[in-house]
Every structure is written in C-alpha cells, then in structure tokens.
Amino acid sequence: MDRFNWDGHRNTLDKIFFRENDFIRKGTKNYDDFWLFFGRFRKFQDRATTHQSGRKKEKSDDEFNSRYKINCSVITKDMEKLMKEAKSSRRRDDDGEIPAERLADFRSAVLHYIDFCQKQNFRKLKKTPKIARKFADRKI
C-alpha cells in the first residue's frame, strides 16, 4: 500500500468517496482527520505486511478478514460511473487511472475510519450516563 501515490489521486478520490451526501465531506474536520488516519493506517498496513512476509504463511479460505468486524458500508454502486467522469475531467495534477485493487484498498481504509469514528462516539455515549450519575450523587 505504501508505494502508490495516493496524494497524486486525491482529486479523483474526493469525487468518488467524499461527496456532499457522504459521511466524510471534503473540506470538513472529518475530512482532514480522515487523511491523518489514512497516513497512520497505511503505516500500520505496511508494518503488518512486512511482519507477515518475514514468516512463511499460506493463505487459506478460512483466514479472518478484519473487514467483517465493521458494521457499516460505503455506497459504491456508482463507482464505475464516477471513475469514468473523473477520468474525463482529470486535472493535470492527477497521476492517471487508479487500479481497482487500490480503490478497494482505499474503500477499506474509509470503512475502517468510519468504524473508528462510530466506536469513539459509542464510547462517549456510554460514559455520559456514568457522568450524569456522578453529578446527581454530588447534588444529594
């Protein structure tokens, strides 16, 4: 995942994954946070890949995919259409076409980020009643 020039394709990725109706919209704090997360995610993936390549491991059909732990999805039904539009309106700063495997990698990173945000929000919600009880106990 590390040798691909993601920044060179940012404009195209924005058009596909960060539209006005999406969870992560371009120009928001969530958008900026995603790109920070994505940098860390790539480093983590690189370390995991390096670690796995050091030992001999055969891939089996029973191998667990962490994607199964994520309880959300990104609607990509129109991804091919968006790729064609992005290709026709590509700016000079884009580095060409994005291979399907890389789009799948990026989509996976978006899903991991959304899952991370959801879990963070659930933790905050879970703490809220505890905090409310503490304040209620102090007033008595």
Side-chain angles (χ1 to χ4, degrees):
M1 214 171 177
D2 64 322
R3 294 190 181 137
F4 188 73
N5 182 11
W6 292 103
D7 290 328
H9 295 281
R10 206 164 178 164
N11 187 45
T12 303
L13 293 168
D14 287 349
K15 288 179 182 178
I16 296 171
F17 293 99
F18 308 118
R19 297 168 293 176
E20 192 60 37
N21 295 328
D22 291 329
F23 177 78
I24 306 168
R25 288 180 291 285
K26 185 177 178 182
T28 62
K29 183 179 180 337
N30 230 0
Y31 175 80
D32 296 334
D33 289 347
F34 167 77
W35 284 104
L36 292 172
F37 174 87
F38 186 60
R40 292 184 203 121
F41 183 76
R42 287 188 317 194
K43 288 177 186 174
F44 175 79
Q45 295 288 68
D46 292 343
R47 270 187 267 138
T49 303
T50 304
H51 185 262
Q52 285 179 355
S53 66
R55 57 187 165 139
K56 212 173 195 177
K57 184 178 179 182
E58 291 182 28
K59 192 168 186 165
S60 71
D61 292 336
D62 297 334
E63 190 173 314
F64 180 74
N65 184 339
S66 64
R67 166 65 183 102
Y68 298 130
K69 291 180 4 181
I70 298 175
N71 193 21
C72 62
S73 69
V74 174
I75 299 172
T76 54
K77 183 179 178 183
D78 56 351
M79 188 183 290
E80 285 184 33
K81 178 184 170 196
L82 290 167
M83 278 299 293
K84 287 178 185 175
E85 288 175 11
K87 189 189 294 186
S88 65
S89 67
R90 184 176 296 129
R91 293 185 182 173
R92 292 177 188 228
D93 59 343
D94 274 356
D95 285 348
E97 237 178 281
I98 304 172
E101 184 180 341
R102 294 301 182 167
L103 276 176
D105 290 343
F106 192 81
R107 181 177 181 272
S108 175
V110 170
L111 288 170
H112 277 85
Y113 175 74
I114 292 170
D115 184 59
F116 171 76
C117 289
Q118 283 183 335
K119 287 177 181 173
Q120 215 173 27
N121 288 334
F122 285 139
R123 275 187 232 113
K124 287 178 188 176
L125 284 173
K126 193 174 177 181
K127 287 181 182 179
T128 304
K130 291 178 185 177
I131 294 170
R133 279 190 298 244
K134 283 183 183 179
F135 282 120
D137 290 343
R138 288 183 182 175
K139 288 183 180 179
I140 295 177

